Amino acid sequence: MAVALCLFTGSPSAGQSGPPKPEPKGPWENRSLSPDERADLVIEKMTMDEKIQLLHGLGWEALFGPPPESGPGTRAIRPSEFIPGISRLGIPDLQMTDAVVGVANAGDKSRYATALPSAEAMAAGWDPALSYETGTLIGNEVRAHGFNLSHGTGINLTREPRNGRIFEYMGEDPLLAGTLAGQELKAMKALNLITGVKHFVVNDQEAGRFFVNSVIDKRSMRESDLLAFEIGLKESNPGAVMCAYNKINGVYACEDDYSLNEVLKKELGFKGFVISDLGGTHSTTKSALAGLDFEMPGYSFFGEPLKKAVESGEVPMARLNDMVHRILRTEFDSGVVDNPPQAHVVDIFRGFEVAQKIEEKGAVLLKNDHGQLPLHAATIKSIAVIGGHADVGVMSGGGSGQVSPAGGSAVPPSPEHPPGDPLGIFSTTVYHRSAPLKGIAEKAKGAVVKFDPGTDPVSAAALARTLDVAVVFAVQHTYENMDLPNLSLPDNQDALIEAVATANPHTIVVLETGGPVTMPWIDKVSAVLEAWYPGIRGSEALANILFGDANPSGKLPVTFARTEADLPHPQHVDQPAIDPNHPIPPMPNLPIVPGISTNQTPFDAVYDEGLKVGYKWYDAEGKEPLFPFGFGLSYTTYSYSQLHATSENGLTVTFKVRNTGKHAGEETAQIYLTLPASAHEPPKRLVGWSKIPLSPGEQKEVTVKVDPQMVSVFNPTKNLWEVMPGEYKVWAGGSSRDLPLSAAITLSGK
């Protein structure tokens, strides 16, 4: 495909010619001053052109052109995410990267970055400490590559399980997603990085993302999608928030005064800056006044047009200074000015350790009939490993967060690209070189281990029939820019599993998927393990789980539906984000790409389920899920007893959990709350949990103090959170549908 490329020639608003002249040290270099004071001192010395320069990235041509100069003797690491600093004032360039599951596209510079399991796998760990450890690993590698801003952490809720990007997010519940994302962000900020969170807000599908209008009432938004961000912000105080592509109730997210100014900046007290997603800016004055501080990637709106808007008075000088202040104070607050990144070699061994730990804690055992797992190497004689390219690697999700595969993809990429991704930027399937077949063979020493690619169900069944155990690896590729047409496994894999299970009753299915899938074969297989996208140590982690060296403790962060008919929106809009047959918004200076027009055809995504996201929908509608939110089996068992709930100084819940099995394990004990009928809420909501390690026979008392906001409802008329007076019911157990303990408690409305 021919593509017209424009080479970068410099920002029209840079306002400088020749090498910058350094000034003497300024008073803002005094580290005893607050970040706000230091920012104001810099602003006093800045010219208008220098202020404008800080408010936009390079033009669209930078996506394809050569790296621009980035200060004396250096070059931009990624030109499309590079913002020139003000060298004469000691303000550094900003070098941004996506880092959802590791530093994205490091291979562009022939550098290595650890490919972690999907964010959904981390969420399935339900472990804030693991999230913090993950953030530390990612943050260290971001700095090692020379970046100083990571905008990789995503908190968009799983309203739509066919969303092609939910592998980048942390599930369907705002408390779970916000808490875990907050810990990851907190860890990265501790390493002197500007941390960013995305995509703000109600960016819950990829279908038509450039022109979809997310329609949702204010209360539902505040108690779900916005609440997840609110919790994450409170936990971590990040430096940047990325506004989304979609519209919110008819207004583009990056022009939405309510979400950006009223909620984010005023009510939540966010002091950092708001940055648009790539191409998410649609105006100058409207965006600036609504709370957008920074345009990515170019200067189409926040370059010369913004300068003219300020000079004409359309955008007050005070607002321009606020935009600049937010960026500068964030740079000082994060430490990127005083402690800039120093490029160095990545600690690959630490990366391996964390990647394997995330997968071992995040894989979810969904079925295990008759103790099929763990496998016993001493007694098993033969194993068939089938499908999923398990002989060479493990699958990863695609998109802007793609971590470059070391040595290239283990499976040659397909040259075919769908209509929504004509250049294959996101849709190209990548397999990391961690072969499950090798891990299984190493654990099953002395056993016969044979592989079948799974492309022919008859051939695979014939192999499975002759061996003791069959392990089928089923894969589902999801990626940015496209939603799934349905929840079924692609490429006839359901028929493959059915055939193998018919041939061998000891069939184990390992799912490498971006999210929930339907399982028409569930009653015929003996075990199912949801592995998500397992990362660079997938082979070792999965082998440890299959053979019992690691006891699975993951719990589902999303509900698995039996069929699409049970979803809030059974008929999802099957439309790519960019479609040659459905035009996209104008993107000035975008290189010409054949087949893509530059107008727009909007449509509505009406989230009329409102508060009923995920498990709340199934509870409210009386639907039985295939596997409920919070569910996950173990190689041991647990019992719950002695629940007590008190309201003195807030809601506090105590109970006991005992390991009643023969293996050491970790149980995620979950607390749910049913509100009074006057609250008009779904039947129950998650309000807390505790991850508890237990030896065989060991019992521990657990105490969970519930945040007052989790007991509250949002009153859109009063624009505040309030506790409804009345009787509440507290539940405790191992999943949203397994809650053996309950107690009633009365709360006064405050």
Side-chain angles (χ1 to χ4, degrees):
M1 176 178 291
V3 178
L5 305 182
C6 304
L7 302 184
F8 175 74
T9 56
S11 166
S13 63
Q16 296 183 8
S17 59
K21 297 179 180 179
E23 287 194 353
K25 289 184 178 181
W28 54 85
E29 296 188 7
N30 182 352
R31 300 188 185 188
S32 67
L33 299 176
S34 71
D36 292 287
E37 291 172 322
R38 298 176 73 179
D40 286 338
L41 288 169
V42 174
I43 290 174
E44 290 178 4
K45 294 288 188 178
M46 294 178 71
T47 66
M48 170 71 86
D49 286 337
E50 287 172 336
K51 292 177 182 179
I52 297 296
Q53 179 179 318
L54 285 187
L55 303 182
H56 61 78
L58 304 181
W60 280 101
E61 59 270 32
L63 288 170
F64 299 95
E69 292 297 332
S70 169
T74 63
R75 282 189 174 274
I77 299 170
R78 185 173 300 161
S80 64
E81 298 179 271
F82 165 75
I83 299 91
I86 312 297
S87 59
R88 73 178 186 88
L89 300 177
I91 303 304
D93 304 326
L94 287 184
Q95 301 272 14
M96 305 182 186
T97 183
D98 284 287
V100 178
V101 293
V103 181
N105 299 305
D108 293 349
K109 294 291 182 181
S110 299
R111 298 286 303 278
Y112 171 85
T114 301
L116 298 173
S118 62
E120 213 166 21
M122 187 186 75
W126 288 61
D127 189 344
L130 179 63
S131 297
Y132 193 93
E133 188 173 2
T134 302
T136 299
L137 186 280
I138 292 175
N140 276 321
E141 293 200 4
V142 168
R143 285 182 60 89
H145 285 280
F147 296 107
N148 54 15
L149 192 160
S150 170
H151 50 70
T153 304
I155 312 185
N156 297 100
L157 295 186
T158 307
R159 281 185 175 271
E160 174 47 71
R162 289 159 295 200
N163 182 353
R165 210 169 180 180
I166 60 174
F167 72 91
E168 295 188 30
Y169 305 137
M170 300 185 190
E172 67 191 27
D173 183 83
L175 178 62
L176 178 67
T179 299
L180 298 181
Q183 287 301 304
E184 183 179 316
L185 289 161
K186 184 177 180 180
M188 286 191 279
K189 184 174 181 179
L191 296 172
N192 298 128
L193 286 170
I194 297 176
T195 53
V197 61
K198 61 188 183 184
H199 304 90
F200 199 79
V201 64
V202 205
N203 181 200
D204 297 332
Q205 65 180 59
E206 288 294 284
R209 65 176 179 173
F210 287 109
F211 41 84
V212 65
N213 177 32
S214 299
V215 180
I216 185 171
D217 67 278
K218 186 178 293 186
R219 177 184 175 183
S220 296
M221 182 162 56
R222 290 302 298 267
E223 290 192 28
S224 58
D225 299 69
L226 270 172
L227 178 58
F229 277 93
E230 181 173 349
I231 293 168
L233 290 168
K234 287 179 179 177
E235 291 264 338
S236 64
N237 189 26
V241 169
M242 178 180 284
C243 51
Y245 288 126
N246 56 281
K247 290 182 178 180
I248 306 169
N249 296 322
V251 180
Y252 280 112
C254 294
E255 297 177 347
D256 186 42
D257 181 75
Y258 173 70
S259 62
L260 297 181
N261 276 335
E262 295 301 318
V263 177
L264 179 63
K265 292 185 175 181
K266 293 179 182 178
E267 293 186 33
L268 305 187
F270 177 64
K271 293 184 177 181
F273 60 95
V274 176
I275 182 172
S276 74
D277 205 338
L278 212 69
T281 307
H282 296 271
S283 64
T284 299
T285 300
K286 185 175 182 179
S287 295
L289 296 182
L292 181 65
D293 301 302
F294 190 98
E295 176 192 3
M296 282 294 291
Y299 37 76
S300 301
F301 298 104
F302 278 16
E304 194 65 28
L306 178 59
K307 180 180 178 180
K308 291 179 179 178
V310 174
E311 291 173 340
S312 69
E314 290 182 33
V315 174
M317 178 62 75
R319 172 61 185 132
L320 177 70
N321 286 340
D322 175 61
M323 297 160 78
V324 176
H325 175 93
R326 286 175 172 275
I327 294 169
L328 291 173
R329 67 90 51 201
T330 297
E331 294 189 35
F332 286 118
D333 179 61
S334 65
V336 301
V337 176
D338 301 327
N339 299 288
Q342 300 295 323
H344 59 272
V345 177
V346 167
D347 184 348
I348 61 172
F349 300 107
R350 178 59 179 157
F352 287 167
E353 180 183 345
V354 175
Q356 184 170 333
K357 185 175 183 180
I358 294 171
E359 178 61 19
E360 289 178 357
K361 286 181 174 288
V364 183
L365 184 61
L366 297 176
K367 183 177 181 180
N368 193 25
D369 280 2
H370 311 296
Q372 176 69 68
L373 293 174
L375 300 172
H376 300 288
T379 58
I380 197 165
K381 301 300 183 183
S382 57
I383 303 174
V385 178
I386 298 169
H389 295 289
D391 58 328
V392 293
V394 292
M395 179 173 276
S396 67
S400 56
Q402 178 73 64
V403 177
S404 301
S409 177
V411 177
S414 169
E416 299 178 4
H417 306 302
D421 191 13
L423 300 182
I425 297 172
F426 299 134
S427 61
T428 300
T429 306
V430 168
Y431 282 79
H432 292 293
R433 295 175 180 270
S434 181
L437 177 65
K438 180 181 178 182
I440 290 172
E442 288 178 349
K443 290 288 183 182
K445 292 188 182 300
V448 173
V449 180
K450 295 185 177 181
F451 177 74
D452 183 280
T455 51
D456 178 9
V458 175
S459 171
L463 175 65
R465 189 175 292 110
T466 64
L467 304 181
D468 292 345
V469 175
V471 185
V472 181
F473 285 81
V475 296
Q476 173 207 59
H477 188 228
T478 59
Y479 52 90
E480 181 179 351
N481 250 39
M482 184 80 78
D483 286 350
L484 294 168
N486 54 58
L487 295 179
S488 300
L489 288 169
D491 303 323
N492 206 34
Q493 291 178 97
D494 284 333
L496 169 67
I497 296 170
E498 184 97 15
V500 172
T502 299
N504 190 325
H506 303 292
T507 294
I508 301 159
V509 177
V510 179
L511 296 168
E512 295 176 32
T513 68
V517 294
T518 52
M519 305 180 197
W521 35 261
I522 187 65
D523 294 331
K524 295 187 177 181
V525 302
S526 60
V528 180
L529 181 70
E530 175 56 76
W532 316 108
Y533 295 138
I536 192 60
R537 293 285 281 187
S539 171
E540 292 80 1
L542 292 175
N544 279 349
I545 293 172
L546 292 174
F547 286 86
D549 292 320
N551 187 353
S553 61
K555 301 273 190 173
L556 290 180
V558 292
T559 303
F560 277 48
R562 290 185 179 274
T563 71
E564 285 91 1
D566 290 335
L567 299 175
H569 305 284
Q571 299 298 322
H572 181 53
V573 178
D574 185 17
Q575 184 171 320
I578 302 176
D579 188 334
N581 301 313
H582 294 82
I584 64 173
M587 293 184 178
N589 301 320
L590 179 65
I592 298 170
V593 180
I596 298 182
S597 56
T598 55
N599 296 310
Q600 59 180 348
T601 303
F603 67 96
D604 291 342
V606 181
Y607 296 122
D608 49 10
E609 71 275 14
L611 298 169
K612 297 180 288 186
V613 182
Y615 66 94
K616 298 172 185 175
W617 166 261
Y618 290 85
D619 289 348
E621 300 297 317
K623 295 178 181 290
E624 188 68 27
L626 180 61
F627 295 107
F629 174 80
F631 176 81
L633 299 174
S634 170
Y635 295 152
T636 190
T637 53
Y638 304 96
S639 66
Y640 289 72
S641 63
Q642 302 180 40
L643 175 70
H644 299 283
T646 63
S647 59
E648 185 177 350
N649 298 320
L651 178 60
T652 301
V653 183
T654 60
F655 54 96
K656 293 182 179 179
V657 181
R658 182 185 297 276
N659 183 339
T660 55
K662 298 179 180 180
H663 299 271
E666 288 184 294
E667 171 67 337
T668 300
Q670 302 159 42
I671 305 297
Y672 295 83
L673 188 68
T674 297
L675 279 65
S678 59
H680 302 292
E681 289 281 317
K684 60 180 176 290
R685 63 167 67 163
L686 179 72
V687 295
W689 75 89
S690 181
K691 188 92 170 181
I692 315 151
L694 291 165
S695 301
E698 184 180 11
Q699 176 174 280
K700 289 183 180 179
E701 183 173 84
V702 180
T703 298
V704 176
K705 189 168 180 60
V706 178
D707 188 297
Q709 190 171 23
M710 302 314 300
V711 185
S712 308
V713 298
F714 184 78
N715 186 324
T717 303
K718 298 179 181 178
N719 199 45
L720 52 77
W721 294 84
E722 58 185 9
V723 177
M724 305 299 293
E727 184 176 274
Y728 291 69
K729 194 167 186 179
V730 180
W731 306 85
S735 81
S736 63
R737 290 291 178 101
D738 178 21
L739 300 167
L741 304 182
S742 65
I745 188 170
T746 300
L747 300 178
S748 60
K750 294 183 180 179

